Amino acid sequence: MICEKCKLKQAKVHVIKIINGKKTSINLCEHCAKTYENIIIEASKGKNINNLVSSLFDTIHGQTDHSMDYSVPKCNGCGLTLDGFRKSGRLGCRDCYDMFKGNLDMILEKVHGKTIHVGKIPHRTGGELKIKNEILNLKKALKEKIKKEEFEAAAVIRDEIKELENSIIGGDGNEE
């Protein structure tokens, strides 16, 4: 692939920008990437997920913030500390997700802009999952309507939720 800026050299860097929900991407050679909108390009040799997680921790907590005690808390399941996660980039067990939820949420927010998955759902197996996501969204809307004391609108939403829940229980929630 040729660099989209200079149109001379081989593109080695793929830049994706998401601004206000609009995604743009460009393929650049290393030279053009270094001058493209203040992007800092580092040699990728030896870089891996461990370095990514560690650098995200540094970014979130400030590179000079040594006041964080990464040794506490420890995961009840495997004994992993936050520092261990920061260094390895890997969680030790399923209990780690609950133990380090706050830090994981900060990292996910920094990387993806959200802390919940909003990606694509497979058509073949995702029918029920789509319905469950719709139910969750409707339940949030229901709470808002109740909070605003818009009870007629809340009743309509309640009925939609019941209908969707019945479609899952009834087994006709799979789309194909």
Side-chain angles (χ1 to χ4, degrees), residues 79-140:
L80 182 73
T81 63
L82 192 56
D83 190 46
F85 170 60
R86 185 178 64 85
K87 288 178 182 173
S88 71
R90 294 191 173 127
L91 296 173
C93 69
R94 65 183 182 154
D95 295 333
C96 290
Y97 288 95
D98 293 326
M99 180 57 78
F100 304 120
K101 182 175 181 12
N103 290 288
L104 293 174
D105 284 349
M106 286 190 290
I107 291 171
L108 290 171
E109 185 111 27
K110 190 83 171 168
V111 173
H112 298 290
K114 296 186 185 290
T115 58
I116 58 170
H117 178 72
V118 293
K120 296 179 181 177
I121 298 173
H123 293 289
R124 185 177 65 228
T125 60
E128 187 172 320
L129 185 57
K130 287 179 185 177
I131 293 171
K132 287 180 179 180
N133 284 340
E134 189 173 343
I135 290 170
L136 286 175
N137 290 333
L138 286 171
K139 285 183 177 182
K140 288 177 187 176

Side-chain angles (χ1 to χ4, degrees), residues 21-53:
K22 185 178 179 192
K23 179 180 173 182
T24 59
S25 64
I26 186 168
N27 296 300
L28 303 169
C29 66
E30 288 184 44
H31 176 3
C32 291
K34 288 179 183 177
T35 60
Y36 183 77
E37 296 187 10
N38 299 322
I39 294 175
I40 299 170
I41 304 296
E42 296 179 7
S44 63
K45 292 180 181 175
K47 299 290 182 189
N48 56 25
I49 189 69
N50 306 0
N51 299 64
L52 174 65
V53 171

